[in-house]
């Protein structure tokens, strides 16, 4: 059976890094008869320029019919002044919402080879392996009311609303507990239950689910600000962190930097399973479109390549191939090859496309 992939390379460095992923997909089709069928479409600023919309209904329909979406990056200064609904980021948010991708998995793994590239001491980050599970379709990103109101005194009032229902919390916490069972069996749930009612509900629902279904997993709760601090103090205390959309956005960037570079961080966004066990998924690097370095062939394609490895693992049950691809990345780093963002003295600086080619030489 054909495996339908929709590639949305997007803006900035998106097309460059996705190009390297495409080479790897072609390798899998040729050498492993993997039968991936690629469709390429527009999303983000590039789609706005052509169609006046950050993503069209036609592309959304293809996304809904694909086995997995591979996204590069969206956004850039060119589109900063657009009204909210036209901004490139809306493409991303619509994909997340319409595909119901409520569980966003952001692993922060610090390869030994890159421990020196982190701004933290190598002993703090070397061999770090954290999984952040970020709720992705709720909270303040999507709550209503939202908008900017004019007040009678001439002032304006900006409004966004943070909401979570029991089932929204349960389903993402369940993903976190299940992942923990396959790792080091520890979940840290983060909220601000000291100031937010929705945070208190979050804590209670996670607690209840733990009691009823996941007693074998070690659970602790942490206020999100403390978690931000603990991540730089002693990150190896964490295994799986589960948190809401906004805290997850921030904590995952912070965790990302522990690993040396955001250019290394992949992510998977998953929906729930239907009765047939099928689910929707989207894979994307955590770095943005990095317009300042776009088009220069210097961006790090490893986050996108590792995102494709997550697709192999989660969407296509190709765990062995995913391991092989992860190991290929490790081998290339061990050999001393580095893109600019992770460059250290004494290493061999390579371009985006060279990095992709080097990874392919390590595939078997
Ligand atoms: C992310 C990004 C997005 C977010 C932006 C681009 C809308 O920061 O995926 O972390 O805030 O979710
Ligand atoms: Mg972010």
């Amino acid at each position: 059976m054909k495996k339908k992939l929709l590639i949305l390379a997007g803006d900035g460095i998106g097309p460059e890094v996705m190009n390297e992923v495409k080479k790897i997909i072609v390798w899998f089709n040729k050498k492993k008869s993997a039968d991936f069928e690629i469709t390429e479409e527009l999303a983000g600023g590039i789609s706005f320029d052509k169609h006046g919309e950050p993503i069209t209904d036609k592309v959304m329909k293809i996304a809904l019919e694909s086995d997995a979406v591979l996204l590069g990056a969206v956004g850039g200064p060119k589109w900063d002044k657009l009204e909210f609904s036209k901004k490139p980021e809306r493409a991303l948010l619509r994909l997340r919402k319409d595909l119901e991708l409520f569980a966003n998995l952001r692993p922060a793994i610090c390869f030994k080879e890159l421990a020196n590239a982190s701004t933290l001491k190598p002993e703090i980050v070397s061999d770090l392996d954290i999984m952040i599970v970020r709720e992705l379709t709720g909270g303040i990103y999507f709550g209503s009311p939202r908008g900017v109101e004019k007040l009678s005194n001439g002032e304006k009032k900006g409004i966004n609303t943070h909401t979570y229902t029991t089932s929204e919390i349960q389903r993402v916490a369940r993903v976190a507990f299940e992942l923990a069972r396959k790792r080091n069996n520890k979940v840290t749930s983060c909220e601000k239950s000291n100031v937010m009612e929705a945070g208190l509900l979050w804590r209670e629902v996670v607690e209840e689910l733990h009691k009823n279904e996941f007693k074998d997993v070690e659970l602790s709760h942490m206020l999100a600000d403390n978690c931000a601090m603990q991540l730089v103090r002693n990150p190896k205390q964490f295994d799986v962190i589960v948190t809401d959309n906004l805290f997850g956005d921030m904590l995952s960037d912070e965790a990302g930097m522990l690993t040396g570079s955001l250019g290394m961080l992949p992510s998977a966004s998953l929906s729930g399973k239907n009765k047939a066990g099928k689910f929707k998924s989207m894979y994307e690097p955590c770095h943005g479109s990095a317009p300042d370095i776009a088009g220069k062939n210097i961006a790090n394609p490893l986050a996108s390549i590792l995102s494709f490895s997550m697709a192999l693992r989660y969407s296509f049950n190709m765990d062995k191939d995913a391991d092989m691809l992860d190991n290929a990345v490790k081998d290339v780093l061990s050999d001393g090859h580095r893109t600019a963002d992770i460059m250290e003295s004494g290493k061999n600086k390579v371009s985006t496309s060279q990095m992709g080619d080097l990874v392919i030489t390590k595939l078997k």
Side-chain angles (χ1 to χ4, degrees), residues 287-306:
H287 61 68
S289 57
D292 50 324
I293 60 163
K296 296 186 179 158
N297 195 24
I298 58 171
N300 186 347
L302 294 179
S304 290
I305 291 173
L306 293 169

Short mmCIF file of all heavy atoms in Angstrom, two decimals, residues 287-306:
data_model
loop_
_atom_site.label_atom_id
_atom_site.label_comp_id
_atom_site.label_asym_id
_atom_site.label_seq_id
_atom_site.Cartn_x
_atom_site.Cartn_y
_atom_site.Cartn_z
N HIS A 287 12.46 24.40 14.96
CA HIS A 287 12.96 25.73 14.59
C HIS A 287 11.99 26.39 13.65
O HIS A 287 11.19 25.73 13.00
CB HIS A 287 14.34 25.62 13.95
CG HIS A 287 14.37 24.81 12.67
ND1 HIS A 287 13.77 25.24 11.51
CD2 HIS A 287 14.91 23.61 12.39
CE1 HIS A 287 13.96 24.33 10.56
NE2 HIS A 287 14.64 23.32 11.07
N GLY A 288 12.05 27.68 13.57
CA GLY A 288 11.15 28.42 12.68
C GLY A 288 11.73 28.55 11.28
O GLY A 288 12.58 27.74 10.87
N SER A 289 11.29 29.58 10.57
CA SER A 289 11.67 29.73 9.16
C SER A 289 13.02 30.43 9.00
O SER A 289 13.56 30.46 7.90
CB SER A 289 10.58 30.51 8.43
OG SER A 289 10.41 31.76 9.07
N ALA A 290 13.56 30.97 10.09
CA ALA A 290 14.90 31.59 10.09
C ALA A 290 15.20 32.40 8.83
O ALA A 290 16.15 32.13 8.11
CB ALA A 290 15.98 30.51 10.30
N PRO A 291 14.38 33.43 8.55
CA PRO A 291 14.54 34.19 7.30
C PRO A 291 15.94 34.78 7.12
O PRO A 291 16.40 34.93 5.98
CB PRO A 291 13.49 35.30 7.42
CG PRO A 291 12.91 35.22 8.78
CD PRO A 291 13.25 33.91 9.36
N ASP A 292 16.63 35.07 8.23
CA ASP A 292 17.96 35.69 8.11
C ASP A 292 18.97 34.78 7.43
O ASP A 292 19.93 35.25 6.83
CB ASP A 292 18.48 36.11 9.51
CG ASP A 292 18.37 34.99 10.54
OD1 ASP A 292 17.38 34.22 10.48
OD2 ASP A 292 19.28 34.86 11.37
N ILE A 293 18.77 33.47 7.51
CA ILE A 293 19.74 32.58 6.85
C ILE A 293 19.13 31.81 5.68
O ILE A 293 19.77 30.92 5.11
CB ILE A 293 20.37 31.58 7.87
CG1 ILE A 293 19.29 30.69 8.52
CG2 ILE A 293 21.18 32.30 8.93
CD1 ILE A 293 19.89 29.44 9.19
N ALA A 294 17.90 32.17 5.31
CA ALA A 294 17.23 31.43 4.22
C ALA A 294 17.94 31.61 2.89
O ALA A 294 18.49 32.67 2.60
CB ALA A 294 15.78 31.90 4.10
N GLY A 295 17.95 30.55 2.11
CA GLY A 295 18.50 30.61 0.75
C GLY A 295 20.01 30.56 0.69
O GLY A 295 20.61 30.68 -0.37
N LYS A 296 20.66 30.37 1.83
CA LYS A 296 22.13 30.40 1.85
C LYS A 296 22.74 29.00 1.92
O LYS A 296 23.96 28.86 1.98
CB LYS A 296 22.62 31.21 3.06
CG LYS A 296 22.21 32.68 3.00
CD LYS A 296 22.84 33.46 4.15
CE LYS A 296 22.46 34.92 4.09
NZ LYS A 296 22.60 35.56 5.40
N ASN A 297 21.90 27.97 2.00
CA ASN A 297 22.39 26.60 2.09
C ASN A 297 23.28 26.40 3.32
O ASN A 297 24.28 25.69 3.27
CB ASN A 297 23.16 26.24 0.79
CG ASN A 297 23.38 24.73 0.65
OD1 ASN A 297 22.65 23.92 1.22
ND2 ASN A 297 24.41 24.36 -0.09
N ILE A 298 22.89 27.05 4.43
CA ILE A 298 23.67 26.86 5.67
C ILE A 298 22.81 26.33 6.82
O ILE A 298 23.33 25.97 7.88
CB ILE A 298 24.39 28.15 6.14
CG1 ILE A 298 23.38 29.29 6.38
CG2 ILE A 298 25.45 28.58 5.14
CD1 ILE A 298 24.02 30.52 7.05
N ALA A 299 21.50 26.25 6.61
CA ALA A 299 20.61 25.80 7.70
C ALA A 299 20.87 24.33 8.03
O ALA A 299 21.35 23.56 7.20
CB ALA A 299 19.15 25.99 7.27
N ASN A 300 20.52 23.97 9.25
CA ASN A 300 20.71 22.59 9.72
C ASN A 300 19.47 21.75 9.35
O ASN A 300 18.38 22.01 9.85
CB ASN A 300 20.89 22.62 11.24
CG ASN A 300 21.22 21.27 11.81
OD1 ASN A 300 21.09 20.25 11.15
ND2 ASN A 300 21.67 21.25 13.06
N PRO A 301 19.63 20.75 8.48
CA PRO A 301 18.46 19.96 8.08
C PRO A 301 18.16 18.81 9.04
O PRO A 301 17.22 18.05 8.83
CB PRO A 301 18.88 19.40 6.72
CG PRO A 301 20.37 19.21 6.86
CD PRO A 301 20.86 20.31 7.78
N LEU A 302 18.96 18.67 10.11
CA LEU A 302 18.83 17.48 10.96
C LEU A 302 17.49 17.43 11.71
O LEU A 302 16.92 16.36 11.90
CB LEU A 302 20.00 17.35 11.92
CG LEU A 302 21.36 17.07 11.23
CD1 LEU A 302 22.48 16.98 12.26
CD2 LEU A 302 21.31 15.81 10.38
N ALA A 303 16.96 18.58 12.13
CA ALA A 303 15.67 18.57 12.82
C ALA A 303 14.58 18.03 11.89
O ALA A 303 13.70 17.27 12.33
CB ALA A 303 15.31 19.97 13.31
N SER A 304 14.64 18.40 10.63
CA SER A 304 13.64 17.90 9.67
C SER A 304 13.85 16.42 9.38
O SER A 304 12.89 15.66 9.24
CB SER A 304 13.73 18.67 8.36
OG SER A 304 13.28 19.97 8.56
N ILE A 305 15.12 16.04 9.28
CA ILE A 305 15.42 14.63 9.02
C ILE A 305 14.98 13.78 10.21
O ILE A 305 14.36 12.72 10.05
CB ILE A 305 16.93 14.47 8.71
CG1 ILE A 305 17.24 15.11 7.34
CG2 ILE A 305 17.34 13.00 8.74
CD1 ILE A 305 18.71 15.18 6.98
N LEU A 306 15.24 14.27 11.41
CA LEU A 306 14.81 13.53 12.61
C LEU A 306 13.28 13.54 12.75
O LEU A 306 12.69 12.61 13.31
CB LEU A 306 15.47 14.11 13.87
CG LEU A 306 17.00 13.92 13.96
CD1 LEU A 306 17.60 14.75 15.08
CD2 LEU A 306 17.36 12.44 14.14
#
